């Protein structure tokens, strides 16, 4: 059973095939011609934190593919409380065809995958956000300079070493792109992440650069990406984080003036407008943030089709008709059956 927990679990060829599938499904969906590839399938969506994009994109993707999604909001089910994670994973697996989970701790999603008997999809943890970055690379392919190969693209992430930064660093270096993380030294990617990204680059031909100089970091960038400077639980650090990042690491027009004219701006959202990025950049001509958000929907469809599809039994209209007849016969005679209403009398 394969899960979608970390892009590191996949080869470059497998990731490219997911990107290609995303393109096929997007083209079909935009023409309202998407085949019901997941007809009758169900996705359990567990959220330990709120979500706009992840929740909506997965639910709409399931609906458009002919399936159904259940939103299990924070606190709605037993998840390691009053019931073991193993029991929860096993029980949910008996009722749905896949589980999407946004969990506070990365270990929770890996434990779900260990015990589940259906595919588990990571919808963000404190370590990574693989569904987001699959969509991000797809968006880069759509917006890259004409004719520029994927492997020549340069991506600069400015800001805190967030879970999105981690995943973007991994997928870019895995696929041969050139990735720069720019932040004050104490907020740069930790050594463990760098080791993975450097090992990826050694195989793919990509590269990893770490710098505290934002002007140099954007100088050759095709894509400039940022994310929040603090997350839930880091509120006590807001003053020191603001002092460390503002104003030097804010993505604003003055900084982007040092980037190539074609460079695009990306943000996974939600954004703190006026903090890590200005309104002028968010709403400006370089911004591709809403294309990026929309592409979550198309990338989720590819992940769902690739991971659920192979486990669904083929549907047989003949078999379905045979069962329908058998059940209808039973229902005519079972103990709770009500007598058929008398035929209306005919007036003469
Ligand atoms: N980018 C992202 O995952 O957004 P949500 O938190 O709204 O799902």
């Amino acid at each position: 059973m394969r899960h979608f927990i970390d892009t590191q679990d996949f080869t470059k060829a497998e990731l490219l095939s997911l990107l290609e599938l995303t393109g096929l499904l997007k083209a079909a969906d935009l023409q309202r011609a998407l085949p019901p590839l997941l007809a009758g399938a169900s996705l359990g969506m567990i959220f330990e934190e709120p979500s706009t994009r992840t929740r909506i994109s997965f639910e709409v993707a399931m609906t458009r593919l002919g399936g159904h999604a259940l939103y299990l909001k924070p606190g709605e089910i037993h998840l390691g409380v009053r019931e073991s994670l193993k029991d929860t994973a096993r029980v949910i697996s008996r009722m749905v065809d896949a589980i999407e989970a946004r969990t506070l701790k990365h270990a929770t999603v890996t434990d779900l995958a260990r015990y589940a008997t259906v595919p588990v999809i990571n919808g963000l943890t404190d370590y990574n956000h693989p569904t987001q970055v699959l969509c991000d690379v797809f968006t880069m392919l759509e917006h890259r300079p004409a004719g520029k190969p994927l492997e020549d693209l340069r991506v600069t992430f400015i800001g805190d070493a967030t879970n999105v930064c981690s995943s973007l660093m991994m997928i870019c270096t895995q696929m041969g792109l050139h990735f720069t993380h720019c932040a004050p030294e104490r907020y740069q990617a930790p050594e463990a992440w760098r080791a993975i990204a450097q090992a990826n680059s050694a195989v793919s031909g990509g590269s990893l650069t770490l710098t505290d100089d934002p002007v140099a970091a954007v100088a050759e960038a095709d894509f400039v990406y940022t994310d929040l400077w603090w997350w839930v639980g880091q509120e006590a650090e807001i003053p020191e984080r603001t002092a460390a990042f503002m104003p030097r690491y804010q993505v604003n027009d003055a900084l982007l003036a040092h980037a190539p004219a074609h460079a695009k701006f990306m943000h996974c959202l939600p954004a703190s407008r006026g903090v890590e990025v200005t309104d002028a950049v968010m709403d400006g001509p370089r911004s591709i943030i809403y294309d990026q958000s929309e592409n979550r929907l198309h990338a989720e469809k590819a992940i769902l089709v690739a991971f659920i599809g192979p486990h669904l039994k083929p549907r047989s209209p003949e078999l379905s008709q045979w069962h329908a007849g058998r059940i209808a016969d039973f229902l005519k005679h079972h103990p709770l059956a009500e007598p058929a209403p008398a035929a209306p009398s005919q007036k003469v």
Side-chain angles (χ1 to χ4, degrees), residues 276-296:
E276 74 273 8
V277 58
T278 57
D279 280 329
V281 170
M282 289 279 281
D283 302 326
R286 292 178 184 271
S287 176
I288 53 171
I289 56 173
Y290 300 126
D291 288 351
Q292 196 183 346
S293 283
E294 180 195 320
N295 281 336
R296 288 294 303 276

Side-chain angles (χ1 to χ4, degrees), residues 318-331:
E318 296 77 24
L319 193 57
S320 190
Q321 209 165 3
W322 180 80
H323 279 291
R326 197 169 171 240
I327 294 163
D329 280 349
F330 169 80
L331 290 176

Side-chain angles (χ1 to χ4, degrees), residues 20-141:
E20 205 172 328
L21 182 57
T22 301
L24 293 173
L25 296 170
K26 178 172 181 175
D29 202 0
L30 294 183
Q31 294 188 324
R32 284 181 61 84
L34 195 60
L37 298 168
L38 299 181
S42 293
L43 174 72
M45 305 194 303
I46 300 171
F47 282 86
E48 287 193 302
E49 276 187 336
S51 162
T52 300
R53 281 143 290 271
T54 308
R55 182 258 163 100
I56 295 172
S57 60
F58 271 105
E59 185 163 340
V60 172
M62 280 302 288
T63 303
R64 296 226 181 133
L65 289 163
H68 162 256
L70 296 95
Y71 174 54
L72 304 166
K73 65 176 190 256
E76 184 137 307
I77 59 165
H78 309 300
L79 196 69
V81 181
R82 290 193 299 281
E83 181 173 76
S84 73
L85 200 67
K86 177 178 178 174
D87 288 344
T88 304
R90 290 276 160 92
V91 167
I92 296 177
S93 296
R94 296 292 184 104
M95 301 183 193
V96 301
D97 299 284
I99 298 168
E100 178 276 329
R102 168 169 291 194
T103 60
L104 297 170
K105 296 281 169 222
H106 192 68
T108 307
V109 86
T110 55
D111 281 350
L112 274 171
R114 181 180 314 144
Y115 298 125
T117 55
V118 295
V120 172
I121 301 164
N122 174 357
L124 181 140
T125 69
D126 59 349
Y127 170 57
N128 66 355
H129 199 357
T131 61
Q132 174 70 52
V133 298
L134 186 75
C135 144
D136 293 340
V137 175
F138 181 80
T139 308
M140 289 173 195
L141 286 169

Side-chain angles (χ1 to χ4, degrees), residues 32 53 77 143 164 169 180 203 207 232 261 276 292 298 342:
R32 284 181 61 84
R53 281 143 290 271
I77 59 165
H143 286 277
V164 170
M169 176 181 293
T180 296
V203 174
S207 65
V232 180
E276 74 273 8
Q292 196 183 346
H298 307 302

